[in-house]
Amino acid sequence: MACLLEAPLRISVLSEVTATSRHYVDRLFDPDPQKVLQGVIDMKNAVIGNNKQKANLIVLGAVPRLLYLLQQGSSSSELRAECAVVLGSLAMGTENNIKSLVDCHIIPALLQGLLCPDLIFIEACLRCLRTVFISPVTPVQLLYTDPTVIPHLMSLLCRSQRTQEYITQIFSHCCKTPEHQTVLFNHGAIQNIAPLLISPSYKVRMQALKCFSVLAYENTQVSMTLVNVLVDEELLSQVFVRMMQRDQPIDMQLTAAKCLTYMCRAGAIRTDDSCIVLKTLPCLVRMCSKERLLEERVEGAETLAYLMEPDVELQRIASVTDHLVAMLADYFKYPSSVSAITDIKRLDHDLKHAHELRQAAFKLYASLGSNDEDIRKKITETENMMDRIVSGLSESSVKVRLAAVRCLHSLSRSVQQLRTSFHDHAVWKPLMKLLQNAPDEVLVMASSTLCNLLLEFSPSKEPILESGVIELLCSLTQSDSPALRVNGIWALMNMAFQADQKVKGEIVRALGTEQLFRLLSDPDSNVLMKTLGLLRNLLSTRPHIDQVMSSHGKQIMQAVTLILEGEHSIEVKEQTLCILANIADGNTAKELIMTNDDILQKIKYYMAHSNVKLQLAATFCISNLIWNEEDGEANAMTGSQERQDKLRELGFVDILHKLTQASDPNLCDRAKTAMQQYLA
Amino acid sequence: VTGTHHPLTLHFKKSGLPKMAELGAGSLLLGDPAFNYQEHELNERLKRLYPAVNEDETPLPRSWSPKDKYSYIGLSQNNLRVHYKGHGKNHKDAASVRATHPIPAACGIYYFEVKIVSKGLDFLSSLLPLSPILGWDKHSYGYHGDDGHSFCSSGTGQPYGPTFTTGDVIGCCVNLINNTCFYTKNGISLGVAFTDLPPNLYPTVGLQTPGEIVDANFGQQPFVFDIEDYMSEWRAKIHGMIARFPIGERLGEWQAVLQNMVSTYLVHHGYCATATAFARATETLIQEDQTSIKNRQRIQKLVLAGRVGEAIEATQHLYPGLLEHNPNLLFMLKCRQFVEMVNGTDSEVRCFSVRSPKSQDSYPGSPSLSPRHGATNPNLHSAGADSPTCSNGVTPPNKNKSHNKYPGISSASSSSSSSPSSVNYSESNSTDSTKSQPHSGTSNQEETSDSEMEIEAEHYTNGVAENPSARIMNGTYKHQEILQAQDISLEDSCASRQLCGGNQAATERMIQFGRELQGLNEQLCREYGKNVTHKKMLQDAFSLLAYSDPWNCPVGQQLDPMQRENICSALNSAILESQNLPKQPPLMLALGQATECVQLMARVRSGSCSFARVDNFLH
């Protein structure tokens, strides 16, 4: 058998390789320092570009020995530098190499080495540290463990162009959290790195620029400081603008645009500043063009989406810049059918970036369409747009699904789109499917979109109702995430708006009174508001009011009392008074208020409240109570008469009389109308 | 005002100019300062944006044309403002006006803007660059304000951009490299509107509504859109294309060609030591022998030093028959000799005078006049030994000494030169310098002369083919310092300039020489017929005598040492030709060819020529 014959041969080749590697390691232990040095130099030459050799040496234990020699005070500076170079070379290999190096505590050893005065040695250490730190397998926290490291690195920035390049590169890769930003900021990162932006070395300029982009990201303190920094008597923002010039390397343009974007989002630059409108935005749009590399297009689109997210004017400008909306349609054409046949490498590349491209395009569409109706129309009219979103909702990549649903959510704010394209493409179907099983962030967006689809004018409302959405929404209200609870209850509220009795009954049954009242004491005021909104929608039209109140009157009155007594915002109290007003509109439900003196006192209190909105809501409630019934029931007249008498006794007439003199015209009208009921 | 005056003579009304107060302040020229300023600004901007455009051949649009417009169109504000004066009832009432000239292809990228001053009642405005053929609508391209559609040659529009209205600034950019066009609105690019555009488009504006007014900006004011940034992208693209031009297999071949170019250039100009060193380093051969190179170099130096008489003698001695066969060249040389006599530099007059106005060699008036030269330095003795530091890295050992003698010279001198593109190098090699004694002896004058030539900034006059008879200039030396032998004393170099050095005998000699020259001219006329160039040359030379101060007279330009360069290279070329060597170095030939090629591209409407200029590559 052939393979049996071959096997021993392979082993012998392997052992031969190991033997030569072994020899390199053995020489590191030679008693003659001169021979050790030569051994390290030979090792350096042997490992360059040879991943196998690197792995072998690591397995054979070269790293601890090299580290020992590097740390040894008796080693010559030349030997120490050569050791650092070899370690740097080993780090250039695979991720496993980096892991082994980190496990050998290479980082503290090299950081210690930086204290040595010898520049060549420092540069070799920094080079190796840079390679280790930019690897995704290295925990960035290792840079911050020793508090003296960052200040020392700052002080090394002036030593040479190489130290500048390596240190700024380390910073930009190790600044991942607001805490990291603060540490670097507090150690003078801005003042130390700003001058490097005009370094003669492109690499240094580029790494310094990258540093600023990670420092400024969502950081107001850094951004506010940056706008006032002068580099060679020029404002930093102008330096960034120069770096965005079209003849600059793309990487530099893109990173400079990121810096300005982050400064703008952090509030340090106005969104109508010409450096944003005429420079940053067009630059980012250019990054989305077909001429750019796929990676650049992804970054460009994401940054642009972030830049204009909160500003409708920027959205409008971007929507007409260089046919951006149409340009983004190209993001969905990867992998292209041509590349599959002609070029395998290209196909691989395309496949790798296809998801990223799609999610970036969805994000940008979402941002573009978040406010302006015309832009939404333009987006939905882009070729196959709705189909793309629909298929995006069921993609395997969570990132794409999330971006697709964000895009859908943005478009769902349009009444017109809800009525037309959303219905035509039955987007509710994949959306419902998405809601069955998805990570929380996707669920938040999807349920939020669902809220809009359940608005009463949406033609999708009916089919969604029939698909058993109520159970799903009720389960969302039990989520730990406040955002999901809000969306769940919000969707139910929308659903209950002007719904028929059957739907309302189903909602109450599915949600359960217990859950409903739990939501009324939810710590999140948004949840509370929407729950009150749901109650109010449930308690509309007289027969519904009476029916709901007859079954849940006691609990509702309790909850209302509790809220009116509690520490709540004006909006919450107003909504609660509106619920009371609805209850007061019922035929039998009225009695629940009339027989509750505590509630009547509260209504009285709010009629004299300093806030007009609350006065208005309370007066509305009283007005409903004293209303002369016109419909059939024989005792109706007497009923209203009794109520009027009771309310007069309680002093409501005096208050109403006073309110007819109120300065607010609405309140004044409402009080007058109520008074007329007494005269009738 | 719808006059028919030429756009170059526009009158700008003060009232029509924004920012006039701040702008006018600086320019205290005759006439309306605002007018001067704006025209100046326009010229400057157009020159900066479109450096490749030759306005003699293809003028740039500067205003709307009062001739090429519908009668419903009114023009004012120096033909920059357009207003509609028709009925505007239907599409037939639409009217347009086009610019004075079509867009030259040599622009590469062309841009203009229009500001909507008033949109009128029912707005329809379009901007269209269109063809020169009458029946304008046929080949027109436009962007309409009322619906944001783009129109191409036909009536049906395509959805293109946003609508525009009063206060908006709409720009139109024509890319003559890829023949596309895009519009801008308030400084934002709206993306490509048209592709495959035909050549010779005019900037145009069309209006259809009473009360509609638009103002054009052809460069009179800064543009809202950053067109220069857009241009920089294309410049970088084209430079990248040139830099990455594939040479494939021919890499080795190219290297040999380049080495040959450098070598022949050095030999041509007589940089003997450098040429030898270069040949040694690159292991190439020099065709011409050393002596011949040095002879030529010596003659050139004599001409450049203004010692034309000696140059003629040397030429006659070394190359017998050469000048006899080139009577035109001889005449030119003699004319120059006369001028140098006036200057007091030619040896025929200098021998009468101990005083030698060496200061002339410092090229007064030369734009690259650097502080080290001439009159300011009375101690300047023999420069040969103290060959100045050179920027090619050869530092003479006697640097300190030379520092005394040449205040202002340092290895950084090239950067302090006024010309940013200057090349500062010297023929010196260290052995020459060390061998040289503090005072240079006659014996080794020729030896040391190698180390004496220092050249700053070479400017090539381009365009060989424009005048087939003209040669490519072999480098116009903005400055060339000729370091002289011991017989030239410079102690009196600051003495005022006088005719023939102020010597009576010399003046007489000069007049006699003038008569001989006149005779030579007559003889040449008899033999070869009348020669207008000669006559003019002679007239100019003699005119110098008509002024009390020839240096400051209308024809005083001739006395400028820079004027020696043409005749010097002509003589050099003639010598080379007589030795069956190329009369111009291949490097200059290639340069001239490239320059001509780029000009040809402009004529055949290849827009990329504007970003492939030869100057961009000569640093």
Side-chain angles (χ1 to χ4, degrees):
Chain A
M1 287 199 310
C3 57
L4 268 182
L5 281 170
E6 233 175 67
L9 186 70
R10 274 198 190 145
I11 289 164
S12 79
V13 169
L14 191 67
S15 62
E16 201 176 295
V17 170
T18 332
T20 51
S21 306
R22 168 102 272 157
H23 179 60
Y24 283 119
V25 180
D26 289 345
R27 289 172 68 192
L28 300 181
F29 292 88
D30 198 291
D32 180 358
Q34 211 45 46
K35 283 187 179 160
V36 174
L37 175 62
Q38 194 52 49
V40 175
I41 291 171
D42 289 346
M43 187 185 271
K44 176 178 76 177
N45 294 332
V47 295
I48 288 175
N50 187 340
N51 271 353
K52 210 172 195 175
Q53 185 71 274
K54 285 174 190 174
N56 281 340
L57 289 175
I58 290 171
V59 170
L60 293 168
V63 179
R65 182 62 187 169
L66 285 168
L67 281 175
Y68 172 81
L69 293 170
L70 180 140
Q71 286 170 296
Q72 210 51 28
S74 56
S75 301
S76 69
S77 57
E78 197 186 354
L79 175 62
R80 299 174 75 185
E82 291 295 343
C83 287
V85 171
V86 174
L87 287 168
S89 195
L90 293 177
M92 291 289 224
T94 62
E95 283 189 355
N96 278 333
N97 290 2
I98 302 256
K99 272 184 201 151
S100 316
L101 289 172
V102 174
D103 290 345
C104 291
H105 304 291
I106 189 178
I107 292 175
L110 290 171
L111 289 173
Q112 191 64 32
L114 297 180
L115 297 171
C116 170
D118 179 31
L119 182 61
I120 294 173
F121 179 56
I122 289 175
E123 286 178 350
C125 287
L126 282 173
R127 208 176 101 87
C128 183
L129 279 169
R130 184 269 316 257
T131 313
V132 172
F133 272 120
I134 62 174
S135 163
V137 300
T138 310
V140 296
Q141 202 49 45
L142 291 174
L143 184 69
Y144 303 94
T145 336
D146 179 351
T148 62
V149 166
I150 301 292
H152 185 60
L153 287 174
M154 293 289 175
S155 74
L156 288 177
L157 275 173
C158 58
R159 292 296 295 276
S160 72
Q161 283 190 4
R162 285 204 188 86
T163 65
Q164 290 167 355
E165 182 196 336
Y166 302 147
I167 292 171
T168 43
Q169 200 174 354
I170 290 169
F171 284 165
S172 55
H173 274 86
C174 295
C175 184
K176 306 264 191 208
T177 66
E179 290 75 40
H180 297 161
Q181 288 174 335
T182 308
V183 169
L184 291 173
F185 176 80
N186 288 341
H187 285 106
I190 293 176
Q191 294 81 340
N192 282 312
I193 299 171
L196 308 186
L197 287 172
I198 51 170
S199 161
S201 153
Y202 172 73
K203 283 180 178 171
V204 172
R205 287 201 304 276
M206 200 55 225
Q207 293 304 336
L209 187 60
K210 283 195 172 150
C211 254
F212 281 122
S213 79
V214 293
L215 281 170
Y217 181 65
E218 293 192 332
N219 192 315
T220 310
Q221 187 186 32
V222 170
S223 298
M224 286 300 193
T225 312
L226 284 180
V227 279
N228 296 316
V229 170
L230 288 174
V231 182
D232 199 20
E233 294 180 14
E234 193 178 15
L235 273 175
L236 203 58
S237 56
Q238 286 312 304
V239 176
F240 290 150
V241 166
R242 254 192 307 110
M243 289 175 146
M244 284 193 300
Q245 274 171 22
R246 292 176 183 228
D247 54 354
Q248 295 293 326
I250 298 300
D251 199 16
M252 180 167 271
Q253 291 186 39
L254 182 53
T255 316
K258 274 186 178 177
C259 287
L260 287 164
T261 296
Y262 299 157
M263 285 162 75
C264 178
R265 280 302 302 268
I269 303 177
R270 289 167 55 103
T271 51
D272 59 358
D273 192 298
S274 73
C275 82
I276 296 296
V277 177
L278 294 179
K279 293 292 172 185
T280 310
L281 187 145
C283 173
L284 289 170
V285 173
R286 285 202 302 277
M287 295 302 138
C288 300
S289 98
K290 235 178 179 170
E291 289 171 45
R292 302 277 70 86
L293 299 176
L294 300 185
E295 295 90 330
E296 292 160 355
R297 291 167 75 182
V298 169
E299 270 194 72
E302 288 183 331
T303 312
L304 182 57
Y306 182 64
L307 172 68
M308 64 190 180
E309 206 172 20
D311 190 275
V312 64
E313 203 40 53
L314 288 181
Q315 289 158 11
R316 287 193 186 119
I317 292 168
S319 75
V320 299
T321 303
D322 284 338
H323 308 299
L324 177 65
V325 176
M327 201 195 285
L328 281 178
D330 279 332
Y331 278 50
F332 295 94
K333 296 178 180 163
Y334 294 90
S336 61
S337 48
V338 186
S339 64
I341 309 157
T342 53
D343 189 346
I344 294 294
K345 234 180 178 175
R346 168 89 181 277
L347 174 68
D348 189 49
H349 181 73
D350 279 9
L351 277 173
K352 226 192 224 161
H353 291 91
H355 295 300
E356 286 294 306
L357 280 165
R358 279 200 291 274
Q359 62 89 22
F362 280 137
K363 263 186 206 165
L364 188 46
Y365 277 131
S367 193
L368 272 171
S370 57
N371 296 97
D372 188 286
E373 186 64 34
D374 288 340
I375 302 176
R376 287 188 197 118
K377 186 160 176 282
K378 211 168 164 179
I379 294 172
T380 43
E381 281 167 1
T382 311
E383 51 168 320
N384 305 326
M385 192 57 213
M386 290 314 285
D387 291 336
R388 279 182 180 136
I389 295 176
V390 167
S391 58
L393 290 175
S394 44
E395 267 203 41
S396 58
S397 155
V398 177
K399 230 174 159 183
V400 179
R401 267 186 288 161
L402 177 59
V405 75
R406 266 175 74 173
C407 181
L408 192 67
H409 176 249
S410 177
L411 298 175
S412 75
R413 291 184 184 168
S414 155
V415 176
Q416 197 198 348
Q417 297 312 322
L418 282 176
R419 282 189 175 140
T420 55
S421 55
F422 273 57
H423 188 59
D424 298 343
H425 290 84
V427 293
W428 64 271
K429 281 186 192 165
L431 192 65
M432 284 300 291
K433 219 176 131 201
L434 195 62
L435 279 163
Q436 307 297 329
N437 181 26
D440 269 11
E441 46 180 357
V442 177
L443 274 185
V444 169
M445 271 295 151
S447 52
S448 188
T449 312
L450 196 64
C451 289
N452 291 341
L453 282 166
L454 285 170
L455 286 167
E456 44 94 26
F457 50 79
S458 160
S460 308
K461 187 178 179 177
E462 278 309 307
I464 295 176
L465 272 176
E466 285 158 21
S467 70
V469 71
I470 297 178
E471 297 291 334
L472 189 129
L473 292 175
C474 290
S475 70
L476 283 184
T477 65
Q478 294 175 4
S479 162
D480 289 336
S481 146
L484 281 180
R485 291 203 302 274
V486 171
N487 287 347
I489 198 74
W490 193 340
L492 288 171
M493 179 187 92
N494 283 353
M495 198 187 286
F497 183 76
Q498 294 183 357
D500 54 32
Q501 184 58 37
K502 184 170 152 272
V503 173
K504 286 184 181 173
E506 241 175 278
I507 293 174
V508 175
R509 196 173 52 250
L511 192 63
T513 44
E514 212 173 306
Q515 174 63 6
L516 185 69
F517 297 116
R518 200 177 295 134
L519 290 170
L520 283 176
S521 53
D522 198 284
D524 189 295
S525 67
N526 267 326
V527 175
L528 178 54
M529 273 301 282
K530 299 303 171 206
T531 312
L532 291 171
L534 170 65
L535 260 182
R536 204 176 150 188
N537 284 349
L538 289 174
L539 292 167
S540 73
T541 71
R542 215 159 279 152
H544 294 174
I545 296 170
D546 289 337
Q547 196 171 355
V548 173
M549 288 312 283
S550 67
S551 50
H552 301 94
K554 204 179 154 206
Q555 293 100 317
I556 290 174
M557 290 310 288
Q558 248 172 20
V560 165
T561 314
L562 234 76
I563 293 167
L564 287 180
E565 281 172 359
E567 294 281 325
H568 288 290
S569 65
I570 298 292
E571 286 73 29
V572 168
K573 299 225 160 147
E574 184 195 8
Q575 189 77 308
T576 314
L577 287 169
C578 286
I579 288 172
L580 271 182
N582 279 16
I583 296 172
D585 192 36
N587 282 331
T588 55
K590 273 190 178 67
E591 289 312 310
L592 284 168
I593 299 175
M594 287 310 295
T595 55
N596 189 331
D597 284 353
D598 186 28
I599 284 286
L600 287 173
Q601 286 303 324
K602 288 194 164 62
I603 294 172
K604 205 168 146 188
Y605 166 75
Y606 283 109
M607 282 176 79
H609 198 270
S610 59
N611 187 292
V612 177
K613 279 182 180 172
L614 296 185
Q615 283 182 295
L616 201 58
T619 311
F620 193 44
C621 185
I622 287 301
S623 169
N624 279 349
L625 286 176
I626 59 181
W627 203 258
N628 285 316
E629 302 302 329
E630 282 155 21
D631 47 344
E633 282 181 60
N635 61 349
M637 267 322 248
T638 46
S640 70
Q641 192 57 55
E642 272 173 30
R643 286 194 302 276
Q644 287 184 359
D645 292 345
K646 180 168 185 189
L647 293 173
R648 190 194 301 273
E649 278 167 35
L650 288 168
F652 278 95
V653 177
D654 295 341
I655 300 173
L656 283 173
H657 197 76
K658 240 182 251 165
L659 288 178
T660 54
Q661 312 294 318
S663 58
D664 185 90
N666 284 334
L667 185 58
C668 177
D669 279 357
R670 175 54 58 191
K672 279 180 187 158
T673 325
M675 286 298 284
Q676 277 165 8
Q677 293 300 316
Y678 273 99
L679 304 173
Chain B
V1 184
T2 58
T4 51
H5 43 233
H6 191 272
L8 279 170
T9 59
L10 292 175
H11 295 282
F12 289 89
K13 285 176 190 155
K14 272 186 180 175
S15 57
L17 282 171
K19 291 194 215 166
M20 189 208 69
E22 50 178 304
L23 299 181
S27 54
L28 296 167
L29 300 166
L30 294 172
D32 188 338
F35 162 74
N36 283 327
Y37 184 85
Q38 181 143 14
E39 180 161 283
H40 176 74
E41 207 189 1
L42 173 65
N43 286 331
E44 287 296 304
R45 187 167 288 112
L46 294 182
K47 214 186 292 166
R48 192 172 68 237
L49 289 173
Y50 318 116
V53 173
N54 176 0
E55 285 214 75
D56 298 331
E57 278 182 26
T58 50
L60 286 158
R62 284 161 187 258
S63 64
W64 301 119
S65 164
K67 281 180 274 179
D68 303 305
K69 69 174 186 65
Y70 283 88
S71 53
Y72 289 155
I73 292 286
L75 294 178
S76 61
Q77 313 240 3
N78 306 300
N79 294 336
L80 288 172
R81 171 164 286 189
V82 182
H83 65 267
Y84 183 80
K85 49 184 190 181
H87 310 294
K89 289 199 175 108
N90 57 46
H91 281 276
K92 280 179 187 163
D93 293 330
S96 57
V97 57
R98 72 182 193 192
T100 46
H101 301 284
I103 301 163
C107 290
I109 284 162
Y110 181 79
Y111 186 72
F112 74 103
E113 279 179 352
V114 167
K115 184 180 171 109
I116 317 299
V117 177
S118 160
K119 68 165 191 156
L121 297 167
D122 177 27
F123 187 56
L124 178 127
S125 180
S126 55
L127 301 167
L128 6 135
L130 88 173
S131 87
I133 306 159
L134 284 173
W136 291 3
D137 296 330
K138 254 190 188 151
H139 291 276
S140 65
Y141 299 84
Y143 166 33
H144 286 215
D146 58 345
D147 56 7
H149 285 188
S150 65
F151 287 77
C152 163
S153 299
S154 63
T156 53
Q158 294 287 318
Y160 169 67
T163 59
F164 51 87
T165 183
T166 302
D168 285 332
V169 175
I170 304 301
C172 173
C173 177
V174 181
N175 183 328
L176 298 126
I177 301 163
N178 61 10
N179 298 315
T180 60
C181 151
F182 68 84
Y183 293 92
T184 67
K185 180 181 170 182
N186 299 326
I188 294 287
S189 160
L190 304 177
V192 170
F194 308 109
T195 56
D196 304 304
L197 287 174
N200 279 329
L201 296 168
Y202 283 78
T204 304
V205 68
L207 311 171
Q208 198 208 301
T209 314
E212 235 176 306
I213 302 169
V214 300
D215 277 352
N217 176 9
F218 294 106
Q220 281 84 0
Q221 278 160 43
F223 292 119
V224 179
F225 177 71
D226 191 346
I227 187 64
E228 285 172 71
D229 193 25
Y230 179 72
M231 286 174 154
S232 76
E233 183 181 356
W234 278 89
R235 188 173 300 117
K237 262 187 207 175
I238 285 167
H239 283 199
M241 248 161 73
I242 294 169
R244 285 190 298 273
F245 183 80
I247 51 173
E249 302 289 301
R250 295 163 61 206
L251 191 62
E253 210 179 302
W254 275 52
Q255 193 178 10
V257 167
L258 290 176
Q259 284 171 351
N260 190 30
M261 277 201 166
V262 173
S263 172
T264 48
Y265 180 80
L266 294 171
V267 168
H268 182 96
H269 290 289
Y271 305 134
C272 198
T274 310
T276 317
F278 183 81
R280 211 184 307 126
T282 57
E283 293 172 4
T284 50
L285 287 173
I286 295 174
Q287 290 192 326
E288 196 180 357
D289 68 73
Q290 293 270 338
T291 343
S292 166
I293 301 172
K294 280 181 182 159
N295 285 339
R296 281 193 294 109
Q297 193 184 30
R298 197 178 135 226
I299 292 169
Q300 284 189 73
K301 275 177 191 157
L302 287 169
V303 177
L304 290 173
R307 293 152 64 178
V308 184
E310 287 168 76
I312 294 171
E313 267 171 48
T315 309
Q316 280 165 340
H317 172 68
L318 291 163
Y319 305 98
L322 175 82
L323 290 176
E324 284 75 1
H325 290 116
N326 285 297
N328 286 347
L329 181 62
L330 180 65
F331 183 77
M332 275 163 69
L333 280 165
K334 294 249 181 197
C335 271
R336 187 67 216 175
Q337 189 181 357
F338 179 83
V339 173
E340 296 301 347
M341 283 175 153
V342 176
N343 228 347
T345 41
D346 193 78
S347 44
E348 287 217 37
V349 299
R350 209 179 45 209
C351 62
F352 294 105
S353 169
V354 234
R355 319 185 116 213
S356 172
K358 171 68 175 171
S359 64
Q360 291 305 299
D361 287 340
S362 67
Y363 285 27
S366 160
S368 65
L369 186 67
S370 60
R372 75 180 96 153
H373 303 300
T376 52
N377 184 2
N379 293 326
L380 194 71
H381 286 298
S382 64
D386 298 331
S387 177
T389 350
C390 12
S391 63
N392 61 358
V394 183
T395 311
N398 53 354
K399 192 179 174 184
N400 289 340
K401 199 172 249 172
S402 73
H403 178 72
N404 295 332
K405 307 231 167 181
Y406 292 85
I409 293 185
S410 72
S411 55
S413 63
S414 65
S415 62
S416 69
S417 154
S418 61
S419 163
S421 61
S422 73
V423 182
N424 191 358
Y425 63 91
S426 146
E427 263 276 299
S428 97
N429 57 37
S430 50
T431 44
D432 273 356
S433 306
T434 40
K435 271 183 201 161
S436 315
Q437 297 306 304
H439 58 92
S440 67
T442 350
S443 54
N444 63 353
Q445 189 208 334
E446 284 199 2
E447 282 294 318
T448 53
S449 63
D450 261 2
S451 63
E452 290 161 2
M453 192 176 277
E454 181 172 346
I455 294 163
E456 271 187 356
E458 303 197 5
H459 286 245
Y460 307 102
T461 55
N462 299 324
V464 237
E466 276 187 335
N467 177 1
S469 69
R471 291 192 170 86
I472 294 185
M473 291 311 147
N474 301 326
T476 308
Y477 308 130
K478 268 196 169 173
H479 159 71
Q480 181 160 19
E481 189 174 2
I482 303 298
L483 300 149
Q484 279 309 323
Q486 80 294 342
D487 61 334
I488 300 174
S489 162
L490 297 173
E491 278 168 14
D492 54 354
S493 64
C494 50
S496 67
R497 295 174 301 195
Q498 286 178 301
L499 195 65
C500 301
N503 184 292
Q504 185 61 36
T507 312
E508 278 165 20
R509 172 73 194 107
M510 174 195 74
I511 288 166
Q512 190 202 333
F513 185 84
R515 291 205 186 96
E516 288 167 25
L517 193 56
Q518 177 77 37
L520 180 63
N521 184 36
E522 281 161 13
Q523 184 200 331
L524 285 174
C525 279
R526 278 194 300 277
E527 283 175 38
Y528 303 98
K530 275 200 174 173
N531 187 321
V532 187
T533 325
H534 288 180
K535 198 179 164 194
K536 172 88 169 64
M537 233 187 283
L538 203 59
Q539 264 176 7
D540 287 348
F542 287 171
S543 304
L544 286 169
L545 302 181
Y547 299 91
S548 56
D549 181 1
W551 286 270
N552 287 313
C553 77
V555 291
Q557 176 71 17
Q558 294 175 86
L559 294 166
D560 188 336
M562 289 240 284
Q563 302 298 318
R564 295 167 188 158
E565 288 158 8
N566 284 0
I567 182 78
C568 175
S569 55
L571 179 57
N572 190 32
S573 295
I575 296 172
L576 283 165
E577 224 177 348
S578 76
Q579 307 295 298
N580 287 323
L581 289 165
K583 64 177 179 181
Q584 44 185 284
L587 178 63
M588 299 316 294
L589 199 65
L591 211 55
Q593 218 165 27
T595 309
E596 185 58 23
C597 186
V598 170
Q599 280 171 6
L600 203 64
M601 283 168 79
R603 286 189 205 114
V604 299
R605 302 195 187 97
S606 172
S608 48
C609 67
S610 70
F611 299 124
R613 307 189 31 83
V614 176
D615 323 359
N616 293 338
F617 296 88
L618 298 177
H619 300 298

